[in-house]
């Protein structure tokens, strides 16, 4: 026999009302706690530490050096769709330069300094497509940090010689004040446009100023189509067109000078051979209107991901830079092998030919990221 209690018609509405009131009370009491927990999670500061140490060897004259770089980055949300970021960097070097070249073979070579401020700014997002950064920053992070460029140790992959050598631009280890606008109409498509003080620096006195008349000014922009990276395929397709327009004072002529340039970059997976993935890439850049130092630059890259281990990458690049009075070709062979989730070993060798003179430089790099 079913002993379920049967409520009378008069008592059913009253009990349902009391039940709804109880649920509403529980929801009101716990909703602020839920929102507070979400706020703590969203506004929790983020941090990262990167350390790179590198031994450098001239394989012809035996000269050696030891270079080190330490980066600390902090970021936190401030208010709705707003974020603050801080970047600090220290560099230390033991030994003189091991090779006299036009394009630096190492992208961590810098004068020793205990502390530099590399980034200090605010980013405000407007919906899901627009964002604006204002403050102290670096150009190379936004425009030249591509998946295939990160495979190599040469400085030209951090910023092209047509920009780095013609302008006192805010690339490693320098930074400058400016604005950067990002527009992403599609997940794979990004338009960037930035305006920076024309004289980058690495001290408080030279960084925190915006003086177009004295320091000049530079505009950099790019349109990039790129797929999202994944653990299975870190080297994803990327197609980019970039441009720059700069106005600065030339001491040699005693007047101001305006010049412009562009670059094109393509990185594309080609095929798979077993577990190995073959990728090809290329970059071409050129400056117009009487560039002061570098006139043009190009490189061609081939990389094979999955060599040695599933996460190892063997890559080779041929690059050439043309200057007013010099020309240089650099062939770099590099192998990047993660040892753990936070430790990567990277040996590399450069075959350099500068104005007909040959040099061979070897590197052994260890990178730690937390």
């Amino acid at each position: 026999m079913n002993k379920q209690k049967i409520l009378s018609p008069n008592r059913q509405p009253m009990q349902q009302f009391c039940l709804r009131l109880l649920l509403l009370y529980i929801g009101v009491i716990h909703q602020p706690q839920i929102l507070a927990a979400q706020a703590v999670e969203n506004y929790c500061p983020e941090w990262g530490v990167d350390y790179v140490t590198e031994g450098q060897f001239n394989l012809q004259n035996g000269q050696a050096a030891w270079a080190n770089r330490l980066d600390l980055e902090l970021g936190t949300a401030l208010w709705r769709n707003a974020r603050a970021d801080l970047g600090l960097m220290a560099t230390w070097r033991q030994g003189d330069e091991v090779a006299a070249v036009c394009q630096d073979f190492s992208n961590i070579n810098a004068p020793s300094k205990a502390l530099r401020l590399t980034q200090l700014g605010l980013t405000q997002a407007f919906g899901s497509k627009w964002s604006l950064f204002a403050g102290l920053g670096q150009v190379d992070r936004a425009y030249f940090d591509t998946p295939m460029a990160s495979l190599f140790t040469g400085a030209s992959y951090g910023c092209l010689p047509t920009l780095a050598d013609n302008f006192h631009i805010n690339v490693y280890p320098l930074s400058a004040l400016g604005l950067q606008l990002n527009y992403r109409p599609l997940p794979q498509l990004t338009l960037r446009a930035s305006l920076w003080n024309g004289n980058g620096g690495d001290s408080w006195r030279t960084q925190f100023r915006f003086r177009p008349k004295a320091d000049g000014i530079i505009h950099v922009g790019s349109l990039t189509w790129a797929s999202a990276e994944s653990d299975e395929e870190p080297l994803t397709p990327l197609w980019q067109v970039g441009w720059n327009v700069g106005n600065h004072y030339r001491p040699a002529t005693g007047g101001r000078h305006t010049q412009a340039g562009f670059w094109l970059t393509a990185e594309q997976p080609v095929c798979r051979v077993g577990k190995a993935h073959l990728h090809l890439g290329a970059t071409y850049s050129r400056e117009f209107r009487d560039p002061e130092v570098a006139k043009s630059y190009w490189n061609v890259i081939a990389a094979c991901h999955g060599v040695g281990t599933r996460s190892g990458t063997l890559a080779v690049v041929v690059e050439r830079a043309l200057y007013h009075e010099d020309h240089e070709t650099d062939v770099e062979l590099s192998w990047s092998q993660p040892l753990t989730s936070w430790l990567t070993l990277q040996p590399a060798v450069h075959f350099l030919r500068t104005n007909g003179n040959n040099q061979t430089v070897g590197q052994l790099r260890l990178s730690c990221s937390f």
Side-chain angles (χ1 to χ4, degrees), residues 243-284:
W243 58 88
N244 66 273
V245 180
N247 178 272
H248 60 286
Y249 174 79
R250 274 188 176 180
T253 60
R256 301 185 66 83
H257 179 71
T258 300
Q259 68 183 62
F262 75 94
W263 76 88
L264 302 171
T265 296
E267 300 177 2
Q268 181 66 41
V270 178
C271 64
R272 296 187 181 185
V273 180
K275 296 182 179 180
H277 303 179
L278 178 63
H279 305 256
L280 298 178
T283 293
Y284 176 77

Side-chain angles (χ1 to χ4, degrees), residues 8 143 148 197 203 210 330:
S8 65
Y143 296 97
M148 294 192 75
N197 188 58
S203 67
F210 193 83
D330 179 15

Side-chain angles (χ1 to χ4, degrees), residues 29-324:
I29 291 297
H30 288 274
Q31 186 176 13
Q33 298 178 6
I34 296 173
L35 294 177
Q38 291 176 347
V40 170
E41 181 180 355
N42 294 339
Y43 286 81
C44 182
E46 300 174 356
W47 62 275
V49 178
D50 294 290
Y51 172 63
V52 181
T53 182
E54 178 182 275
Q56 304 171 352
F57 317 92
N58 189 314
L59 302 181
Q60 292 174 313
N61 59 24
Q63 190 172 355
W66 182 24
N68 298 267
R69 172 181 175 178
L70 177 65
D71 289 272
L72 172 63
E73 295 186 353
L74 301 172
T76 184
L78 296 178
W79 52 80
R80 183 177 177 85
N81 297 329
R83 177 182 176 86
D85 289 284
L86 169 69
L88 301 172
M89 179 178 64
T91 55
W92 178 69
R93 180 178 179 84
Q94 182 67 34
D96 298 327
E97 297 290 344
V98 302
V101 294
C102 298
Q103 305 172 83
D104 202 335
F105 60 87
S106 177
N107 54 15
I108 68 168
N109 276 344
S112 298
K113 191 167 184 176
L115 183 64
R116 291 181 177 89
L117 188 60
T118 58
Q119 187 174 16
L120 181 62
L122 301 176
T123 301
Q124 177 68 59
F126 304 94
S128 60
K129 297 181 179 180
W130 294 89
S131 66
L132 177 66
F133 169 84
L136 192 72
Q138 296 179 313
V139 167
D140 40 354
R141 294 188 177 195
Y143 296 97
F144 304 109
D145 188 13
T146 67
M148 294 192 75
S150 64
L151 299 175
F152 301 100
T153 64
S156 293
Y157 313 108
C159 183
L160 306 176
T162 48
L163 273 78
D165 294 340
N166 287 311
F167 303 95
H168 203 251
I169 195 170
N170 50 323
V171 296
Y172 173 84
L174 309 179
S175 56
L177 284 179
L179 299 170
Q180 178 173 303
L181 182 66
N182 295 339
Y183 173 57
R184 181 170 292 179
L186 300 172
Q188 299 85 5
L189 188 65
T190 303
L191 174 66
R192 292 187 178 93
S194 55
L195 193 67
W196 303 95
N197 188 58
N199 193 5
D202 63 352
S203 67
W204 290 75
R205 183 179 61 85
T206 58
Q207 289 176 321
F208 288 96
R209 65 187 190 191
F210 193 83
R211 307 189 308 181
K213 185 175 181 180
D215 295 339
I217 196 168
I218 184 167
H219 161 66
V220 184
S222 70
L223 182 64
T224 306
W225 186 92
S227 298
E229 295 184 15
S230 65
D231 295 335
E232 296 293 329
E233 192 69 74
L235 301 178
T236 52
L238 180 142
W239 298 79
Q240 183 181 77
V241 54
W243 58 88
N244 66 273
V245 180
N247 178 272
H248 60 286
Y249 174 79
R250 274 188 176 180
T253 60
R256 301 185 66 83
H257 179 71
T258 300
Q259 68 183 62
F262 75 94
W263 76 88
L264 302 171
T265 296
E267 300 177 2
Q268 181 66 41
V270 178
C271 64
R272 296 187 181 185
V273 180
K275 296 182 179 180
H277 303 179
L278 178 63
H279 305 256
L280 298 178
T283 293
Y284 176 77
S285 69
R286 186 172 180 84
E287 286 291 304
F288 302 97
R289 292 182 56 84
D290 189 25
E292 194 167 6
V293 182
K295 298 186 294 183
S296 63
Y297 166 87
W298 60 263
N299 69 43
V300 178
I301 301 173
C304 193
H305 180 69
V307 175
T309 65
R310 186 176 181 180
S311 56
T313 304
L314 181 66
V316 61
V317 61
V318 179
E319 64 173 350
R320 183 168 176 81
L322 299 178
Y323 301 84
H324 275 297

